[in-house]
Amino acid sequence: MRIIRPYSGPKTAVTIAVLTAIVFIALFLYVGVNQRKLIYNDSKLLAKEISRKAAVETEKYLSSVLSVAKSMKQQSEIVKKLGGNRNQIQTILRNGLEENKNILATWTLWEPNTFDNKDFEFKNSDLYSSEGILGIGFFKYQNSVYYEKMTSADYLGPHYLAPKESLKECITEPYRYVYTGYKQVFYGTTISIPIIEEGIFKGAVGVDVDLKTLRNNLNAVGLYES
C-alpha cells in the first residue's frame, strides 16, 4: 500500500500558522467579550442585592425610630389625661433618648395652654420659653445628654408645621441644624407625631435622626462574611 504523506512545504506551514493565529485571536476576543458581559451582569446583580439589603436596613432603622416616637406620644397623652406634670414629660423624652442608640434627639412642642393650662406659671422659668409654653428637647453629643430650651422659632419649622397641617405622622427632608443655645452642627432628619384630641391638634412629639449614624450602619452592609 502506498502511503500518501501530507505536504509540509514552507508555504503550507506559514498558512497553517496564520490560520492558527486567526483562530486564537477570534477565540480570545470571544472569551474576553463574554467574560466582560459575565462580570458586568454579576456586578449588576451584586449592586442590586446590596441596594436591596441597604433598603431593608434603612427601613428597619427608621421603623425602630418611629416606634420610639409613637411610644413617647402615647405616654405623653396618658400623662396629660391623668393630670401629670411637666417633669414626667421630661422623663419620657430623656428615657426615649438614652434607651435608643439610633436616636440623636427627642423633643415635644405643645400649643399654648394645651398641656396643663399653666403656661403663666412657667413664664419666668429657665426651662421654657418666655411664654411658658411646654416645649422641650434633649439631644446627645459625645456620650453626653443636653437639654434644649425651645423658642417661638421652633414652632415655624417643618418638623412642627407639617404634622400640624396634615394631622399625620411626618418625616422631614434631610437638613442641617443646630440646637438652641449650642453651636454643634448636625445633619439629619426628623420624624414627628401629632398629638390630637377630638380631632384638634394639641402639639407634637418627635425624634431627630443623625444621618451619619445611618450611613455608618449602611457601610457595614455586606453580602458575605468577608
Side-chain angles (χ1 to χ4, degrees):
M1 181 182 291
R2 183 187 176 199
I3 300 176
I4 301 177
R5 299 179 180 278
Y7 180 72
S8 57
K11 186 176 181 180
T12 302
V14 171
T15 301
I16 293 173
V18 172
L19 289 174
T20 301
I22 292 173
V23 171
F24 178 79
I25 292 172
L27 287 173
F28 179 78
L29 292 175
Y30 175 78
V31 172
V33 170
N34 280 274
Q35 183 67 15
R36 289 185 65 183
K37 288 182 178 179
L38 290 173
I39 293 173
Y40 177 68
N41 290 332
D42 286 346
S43 297
K44 286 200 300 183
L45 291 174
L46 184 63
K48 287 181 180 179
E49 183 61 16
I50 290 177
S51 297
R52 185 191 67 80
K53 292 194 69 175
V56 170
E57 290 299 318
T58 301
E59 183 178 2
K60 287 169 55 180
Y61 185 94
L62 294 179
S63 293
S64 66
V65 172
L66 177 61
S67 296
V68 175
K70 287 182 175 180
S71 175
M72 293 192 304
K73 176 249 187 184
Q74 292 169 354
Q75 293 177 64
S76 299
E77 288 177 328
I78 292 173
V79 169
K80 180 182 184 304
K81 185 176 181 179
L82 296 178
N85 57 54
R86 301 188 179 199
N87 289 335
Q88 291 173 292
I89 299 297
Q90 291 187 34
T91 300
I92 291 171
L93 296 177
R94 183 153 188 150
N95 288 344
L97 177 63
E98 294 179 341
E99 294 172 3
N100 296 274
K101 63 179 182 178
N102 291 336
I103 293 177
L104 172 63
T106 55
W107 56 268
T108 188
L109 290 166
W110 292 71
E111 292 289 285
N113 282 318
T114 54
F115 176 71
D116 52 13
N117 199 31
K118 295 180 179 180
D119 290 357
F120 67 94
E121 294 184 7
F122 297 93
K123 285 187 176 181
N124 297 319
S125 171
D126 293 333
L127 300 178
Y128 305 101
S129 66
S130 58
E131 297 84 4
I133 304 171
L134 175 55
I136 54 176
F138 294 93
F139 71 95
K140 288 184 291 192
Y141 180 61
Q142 294 183 344
N143 298 320
S144 296
V145 174
Y146 297 89
Y147 181 89
E148 181 186 21
K149 179 180 179 179
M150 300 294 188
T151 67
S152 57
D154 291 295
Y155 286 86
L156 302 177
H159 57 286
Y160 189 74
L161 292 181
K164 181 177 182 178
E165 295 171 356
S166 67
L167 300 182
K168 296 180 180 179
E169 303 163 1
C170 300
I171 181 169
T172 67
E173 293 289 335
Y175 62 103
R176 296 184 183 278
Y177 51 90
V178 296
Y179 293 106
T180 304
Y182 303 91
K183 297 181 179 180
Q184 179 64 31
V185 179
F186 296 94
Y187 179 68
T189 186
T190 298
I191 295 177
S192 305
I193 311 292
I195 300 172
I196 304 170
E197 290 183 2
E198 299 179 353
I200 300 175
F201 178 81
K202 298 294 184 177
V205 172
V207 295
D208 295 342
V209 177
D210 184 2
L211 292 183
K212 289 182 179 180
T213 303
L214 176 58
R215 181 192 63 190
N216 292 337
N217 287 357
L218 294 182
N219 285 342
V221 173
L223 291 177
Y224 313 106
E225 292 182 357
S226 63

